[in-house]
Amino acid sequence: MASPAASDSEADAATSGASRTRIKICGLTREADVDAAVAAGADAIGFVLYEASPRYLTLERAAELVRRLPPFVTPVLLFVNESDTKIIAACDRIPCAVLQFHGDETPEACLRAGRPFLRAARIPLQENPEPGRPRFDLLKYTQDYSAAQAILLDAHVEGYGGGGKTFNWSLLPRNVNAHLVLSGGLTPANVTDGILQVRPRCKTLAVDVSSGVEISKGIKSADKISQFVAAVRVADEQLAKNPIHHVRLSPT
């Protein structure tokens, strides 16, 4: 988004070429952190309903926090290999939520709740896969999960639910015909570069942060959240001033 001091032409570029990057703050557990994320300008708030996570919330607790959200800030419920019964119960309790699947869910399983969803793609940390492990094909993955609102890119680590690790953004395909959400080890220090590198590769790009704005697991820092949002806006301003960098690359 162009700054107030930006010229009219820069503002036009921001609107037509480099649209505002949407921001999701994930793994919130406290009222104060929900309020801080909303005040900073977050577009979505993530609640982890995966019991093995240190940021786990019960459905009842998540519903309490969702009631603090103003209009047009979207709650996102994160699941890992959860039963249809519990997912449907969560949808009934929080009907305005988007679902995020972070386990081994098939395309059919993601569709069964009948709700908008994000599908996490676990991107390898290294370019060359381990012996016997096939190379991850993001283009095929986006086709398989074409019903998803977006594909969330996270680093492949042991376990599920995100590990706060950063993968090599330059190894992503040059032209992904999907809406993407960049995640995995983002911080106020690196999110600007991440957006500048990844946005030209996809239809649209959003960002998702959890550990990068924390004091400890599940406890967020209002200052870090504000710094993260400010760093995202720096990327938006750079893209608005140099819209050529927003043009998608030709397929390779």
Side-chain angles (χ1 to χ4, degrees):
M1 178 170 65
S3 65
S7 68
D8 290 342
S9 61
E10 288 172 347
D12 290 342
T15 300
S16 61
S19 59
R20 181 174 67 85
T21 302
R22 295 326 197 246
I23 300 170
K24 172 173 170 273
I25 311 294
C26 194
L28 279 73
T29 62
R30 306 187 303 171
E31 287 84 354
D33 297 338
V34 171
D35 295 347
V38 169
D43 300 280
I45 306 295
F47 302 102
V48 179
L49 301 183
Y50 174 46
E51 292 187 17
S53 170
R55 302 173 183 89
Y56 167 70
L57 294 178
T58 65
L59 177 57
E60 291 71 23
R61 178 61 174 151
E64 289 178 359
L65 294 176
V66 167
R67 285 196 290 271
R68 301 184 73 83
L69 299 180
F72 310 120
V73 176
T74 303
V76 180
L77 305 181
L78 188 154
F79 298 99
V80 176
N81 300 329
E82 189 54 89
S83 69
D84 290 348
T85 300
K86 290 188 177 180
I87 292 172
I88 291 171
C91 292
D92 290 342
R93 186 68 181 272
I94 307 175
C96 56
V98 170
L99 310 183
Q100 179 176 324
F101 294 107
H102 232 287
D104 303 309
E105 297 87 358
T106 64
E108 294 75 21
C110 295
L111 287 168
R112 280 200 289 267
R115 299 295 300 276
F117 69 93
L118 310 176
R119 183 64 174 101
R122 307 176 75 193
I123 309 299
L125 290 171
Q126 298 179 347
E127 180 176 5
N128 297 316
E130 299 175 1
R133 183 190 295 270
R135 186 181 299 275
F136 181 79
D137 187 343
L138 180 60
L139 298 181
K140 182 179 184 303
Y141 196 88
T142 60
Q143 292 175 353
D144 291 344
Y145 292 92
S146 60
Q149 276 198 336
I151 301 297
L152 185 144
L153 309 179
D154 202 356
H156 191 151
V157 297
E158 292 300 321
Y160 297 98
K165 299 290 185 180
T166 303
F167 61 90
N168 188 341
W169 305 317
S170 68
L171 299 180
L172 292 172
R174 290 168 59 86
N175 201 334
V176 182
N177 189 31
H179 303 285
L180 299 181
V181 180
L182 182 61
S183 184
L186 293 180
T187 69
N190 66 14
V191 69
T192 300
D193 187 45
I195 292 169
L196 295 178
Q197 286 198 42
V198 179
R199 189 186 287 182
R201 300 172 183 264
C202 56
K203 283 184 174 180
T204 64
L205 184 69
V207 292
D208 183 2
V209 65
S210 182
S211 61
V213 294
E214 285 185 334
I215 301 168
S216 60
K217 291 184 178 181
I219 306 300
K220 307 303 185 191
S221 162
D223 288 342
K224 289 183 179 181
I225 290 173
S226 295
Q227 291 165 13
F228 185 86
V229 172
V232 172
R233 299 299 165 237
V234 167
D236 288 348
E237 290 174 5
Q238 289 188 27
L239 287 167
K241 293 175 182 177
N242 299 282
I244 189 171
H245 295 301
H246 184 60
V247 176
R248 296 179 68 197
L249 303 170
S250 300
T252 55

